[in-house]
Each structure stands twice: as structure tokens, then as C-alpha cells.
Amino acid sequence: MSAPQVKGWCPGAFRPMMSGDGLVVRVRPPLGAISAAQATGLADLAEQHGSGVVETTARANLQLRGVAEAAYPALMQDLRALGLLGDADSEARRNLVLDPFHARGTEEIARRLLEGLSKAEFSGLPGKFGFVIDPGTPRRLAGISGDIRIEGAAGGMILRADGAATGRRLRNSEEAVSQALDLARWFLTSGGVGADGRGRMARHLADGADLPDALAGDVEPSPSAPEPQPGPQDVGLCAAAAFGQFTASALRALSGAGGPIRVTPYRMLYLPDVMIQPDHPDLILDPQDPLRRVQACTGMPGCPQANVTTRDLARRIAPRIPDGQQWHVSGCAKGCAYPRVADLTLVGRDGAFDLVKQGTPWDDPIRRGLSPLEIDEQVRP
Ligand code: SF4
């Protein structure tokens, strides 16, 4: 099997990744949101310098793709003018996902955590080491990867190291920030980072590291909320697009509705101040839309690690997917588009697909080497 290339870092604006169709330039929205003006600006930049779409990622970031190397310096200048770039060092550490449906206090925790993480003592944290701020009940981000987690629990918030079943109760936001930073310090000083600069909290604990009493606890996190769907919410609106790719004109339609736009890790955008649904053919606002039942990564030819095309197959099989199920077509076992358990996952390998039921792309398949034609014929609900 052609193993996916595992990099110890995520691409960012300062560290773009060369893909099959040009550079991928990822923007980490400050505090998980952009303004309507920034959204319009990004739409313009996607058309001017990239492929004309703005992609949402599984870690609530935005990315432009198809950027020519010659256009990269001008794009960076334009992103800076839009207020979407920090400095290279702090941007690399801005690996934080916050509940997009959050109350205002969540933003304050994120802001102060980012301030703390900008200190030099945290420069050794691995590129993929991330924070999740999910203090509501039920939790919205239970399925989202993150090494240090501030989560909702009965009666308040807890701090939980990923890999530990329970966490330590927190009295308030100040304590949430200081304890999260203490946990990051402990990770660094207790040998969580390997000689190659990589390391994850769950692996560190599984390898036998003992959390100090001051950072451990016996409080269970609150239950997990169902994954949100596109359309009107209690307050505001969730908008999706096929495979999380928002065309420039669709993004402009959303920004025209006004207010901030929060980026979710569900490949949707959430507009907390909008109740009127923008009318645009590229926007998915109906939870029953068949394209909501399938996730697919870039695949060939855009991703150099892929040896199958993905989105054409995903579009074909989407109408056959039973309501309530989530399927995933992944160009390789890395599973960028949906790095979690799906009802059915098709994983590209040597030009064909392996089939995983109730698992992730890196789990053992129940069938191997299916051609797209065989999938069309045999893969039935
Ligand atoms: S999952 Fe898809 S996008 Fe990610 S590396 Fe594999 S082929 Fe590329």
C-alpha cells in the first residue's frame, strides 16, 4: 500500500504546500471568525490568485489553492492588508479550534490563550499540537482532534488532556487559560516532543507519562451534541458548499448578508447574526441535500499523494447514500476531508478503492481493490 506522506506540520500561509494544482495557502482565522469585509476580500483573492474557491478545512481554517509561486508574494501582501496574517511564529502556534456556536466568554479564553502561547517558552510545541475550546454543554467539538481541551462538564468547565477520560474542574476563564498553559508546559518538559520535533498528548500518555495531580481530575466531560446541519439554527445560519469548497461568488453572497462569519470544523460557515437565507446556487442550506452525506478530499490531480479521483465518484454515489449516513471518499489513507469514523469509507490505493465500514481511512478494509465501476455496481446502501 502506498502509505500517505505524514508531515509533522500543517501548511499555513507562511508555509504553503505545493500541490498538484499549485500552492495551497492556508489562513487561520483569528479567533475562528472573519468579518464580512475579510470574506469579500478572500473571495477576490481566490479569483485573482487561486482557483476561484475558498476551502474550509477539518480544523476550521480556510485555504486558497491553485496559487502560482509567482503570485504568492502578492497574495501574502493582500492577506496582510486584510488583517488575516500574524507573524510566522505565532501563526504556526495558532492551532486552536473553538466552538463556533460559542458564547462570548469562549472568545476571551481563546484570545488570552493565544497571547500566552506567543511566548518563546512554547516555541517547541509540535506543529500539529492543538487546543480545543469547547466549554458548552453538550460539547460541540467532541469529535475534533486537539491535545489540550477546555470542555463543558456538569456544573462548569474542565481541563482535559487528550487521551485522559476525565479532566480537572476549572473555576473560571482565567484558570482555564493558566491551566491550559501549564499543561502545555508539562508536555514540553516531560518529554512529549520527540527528537524529530513531533509529539501528541494522547501518545505521550499512552506511552506512560503521568499527568501531575494539579493537571488531572476525575470529572467527565459533558455528552456530545449531534453534528450541526446546514440551514437556520436557533440563532443564525449555517451554510455549506459541496465538499466544503465555497466559490468566490457564494462567499460574497454570504458576506452580503452581513455580520461576522465563523469557520466551523464541519466544513460549514456559521453566520451568527443572519436569519435570512441568502439565495445562491453554490450554497447548501438544506440538511437533506445528498452532497451533505458524503465527504471527499481533493484527490487526483490536485493532491500529489492521491492516485484516484475522488469528487466525481462522490457526486455519483451521493444520491444513493441513505439519509442519516455519512460516507467518505478519501484519495489515500490520510483522510484529510473527514479524519474520523464514517459509516462507509472508500480509500484510494494503487488506482482502486478499499472499503472500510464503520471506520476511518486508516482502519482495516473489508474489501480491497474495487474499481470505480465496481463501486457503482456493488456499493449499495
Ligand atoms: S486524503 Fe486526499 S487530500 Fe489528503 S493527502 Fe490523501 S489524497 Fe491528498
Side-chain angles (χ1 to χ4, degrees):
M1 177 166 183
S2 48
Q5 224 179 306
V6 178
K7 299 187 174 80
W9 51 274
C10 292
F14 291 93
R15 206 171 178 187
M17 185 175 67
M18 182 51 79
S19 197
D21 55 355
L23 293 173
V24 176
V25 179
R26 187 170 293 176
V27 174
R28 296 180 172 175
L31 305 180
I34 54 175
S35 67
Q38 286 171 325
T40 305
L42 266 182
D44 294 345
L45 294 182
E47 284 183 335
Q48 201 180 333
H49 299 299
S51 62
V53 300
V54 176
E55 296 183 332
T56 48
T57 78
R59 285 203 65 75
N61 293 314
L62 296 169
Q63 65 190 22
L64 308 186
R65 60 182 318 125
V67 177
E69 282 184 83
Y72 175 67
L75 172 61
M76 289 295 277
Q77 218 169 9
D78 293 341
L79 287 173
R80 189 174 298 287
L82 280 176
L84 289 171
L85 284 187
D87 62 87
D89 193 40
S90 63
E91 199 226 35
R93 274 177 264 163
R94 205 195 283 168
N95 192 359
L96 184 154
V97 182
L98 58 163
D99 174 6
F101 305 99
H102 57 72
R104 293 206 185 281
T106 306
E107 260 179 29
E108 191 50 32
I109 293 174
R111 193 187 322 275
R112 294 175 59 186
L113 192 52
L114 287 173
E115 268 172 32
L117 288 170
S118 68
K119 292 180 185 157
E121 63 176 310
F122 296 110
S123 62
L125 284 176
K128 283 185 178 290
F129 193 90
F131 295 75
V132 164
I133 306 179
D134 187 17
T137 297
R139 289 175 300 149
R140 296 279 192 175
L141 304 178
I144 304 301
S145 156
D147 298 86
I148 293 182
R149 316 183 68 94
I150 295 167
E151 297 182 315
M157 283 186 290
I158 60 170
L159 175 80
R160 185 168 68 87
D162 192 38
T166 55
R168 178 193 190 282
R169 190 170 292 289
L170 298 163
R171 281 172 301 190
N172 50 40
S173 300
E174 287 75 29
E175 196 179 47
V177 174
S178 67
Q179 291 282 302
L181 293 174
D182 281 350
L183 187 49
R185 268 185 208 104
W186 172 79
F187 179 80
L188 285 166
T189 55
S190 63
V193 186
D196 58 0
R198 298 180 188 174
R200 299 301 300 261
M201 182 68 82
R203 167 58 58 93
H204 191 38
L205 297 186
D207 285 347
D210 268 334
L211 277 173
D213 288 348
L215 297 170
D218 58 3
V219 185
E220 286 185 8
S222 64
S224 173
E227 197 160 309
Q229 295 299 320
Q233 308 294 304
D234 289 345
V235 180
L237 177 80
C238 270
F243 311 122
Q245 293 191 299
F246 289 80
T247 59
S249 67
L251 197 53
R252 285 192 198 99
L254 288 177
S255 61
I261 296 176
R262 293 184 189 161
V263 186
T264 81
Y266 318 106
R267 294 179 180 257
M268 289 192 296
L269 298 173
Y270 172 56
L271 289 74
D273 296 338
V274 170
M275 294 307 286
I276 297 169
Q277 303 192 19
D279 185 18
H280 192 285
D282 297 339
L283 290 176
I284 297 175
L285 302 172
D286 176 4
Q288 303 304 322
D289 191 302
L291 282 173
R292 284 294 298 162
R293 298 174 203 153
V294 61
Q295 305 280 347
C297 71
T298 306
M300 266 178 42
C303 177
Q305 294 194 56
N307 51 54
V308 290
T309 59
T310 48
R311 287 178 175 157
D312 51 347
L313 175 63
R315 280 185 189 277
R316 276 206 312 278
I317 62 176
R320 284 190 257 152
I321 301 174
D323 193 16
Q325 285 205 10
Q326 184 68 65
W327 290 17
H328 178 195
V329 182
S330 187
C332 75
K334 193 171 169 191
C336 298
Y338 198 73
R340 38 194 188 269
V341 173
D343 294 291
L344 188 143
T345 306
L346 297 161
V347 189
R349 183 177 59 87
D350 299 337
F353 287 91
D354 293 344
L355 194 152
V356 179
K357 263 199 170 169
Q358 290 299 335
T360 66
W362 49 91
D363 285 334
D364 285 338
I366 56 162
R367 298 278 307 271
R368 291 182 189 271
L370 292 166
S371 70
L373 190 64
E374 286 173 305
I375 290 165
D376 276 339
E377 286 170 355
Q378 294 182 28
V379 174
R380 299 284 177 205

